[in-house]
Amino acid sequence: MKFLLLVLLLLAAFWIWNNGRRRPDDSATPKQGADRAAPAQDMVACEICSVHLPRSDAVTGGDGRLYCSAEHRLRGGS
């Protein structure tokens, strides 16, 4: 009976010690590159309404001014 109790105590101590030093599971951490944010883009303001938008989405007028839409480009006189 003492031997069984000693074995159970040693197993419990080993289990506690092993759980304390175990590294986090790889499945719990996001995969590398999976949650990367998109690269930063230049933000510009519309000449008419001052809305900020990425340069790649802006409409360029004939004089080089940037607008948020074709309607605002026409309203700006370009």
Side-chain angles (χ1 to χ4, degrees):
M1 183 70 175
K2 288 182 186 180
F3 180 73
L4 182 61
L5 187 59
L6 181 63
V7 169
L8 287 175
L9 183 62
L10 288 174
L11 284 175
F14 178 76
W15 181 74
I16 290 171
W17 174 75
N18 197 25
N19 281 341
R21 67 177 194 67
R22 185 178 298 167
R23 290 193 331 234
D25 202 351
D26 283 345
S27 62
T29 58
K31 300 291 183 215
Q32 194 171 13
D35 290 336
R36 283 199 176 157
Q41 296 183 23
D42 289 337
M43 298 296 283
V44 295
C46 175
E47 291 288 329
I48 301 297
C49 64
S50 299
V51 167
H52 287 81
L53 65 154
R55 182 179 294 274
S56 61
D57 292 343
V59 178
T60 306
D63 54 359
R65 292 182 179 180
L66 299 171
Y67 301 96
C68 65
S69 65
E71 180 184 344
H72 280 186
R73 182 181 57 85
L74 293 174
R75 193 184 305 174
S78 296

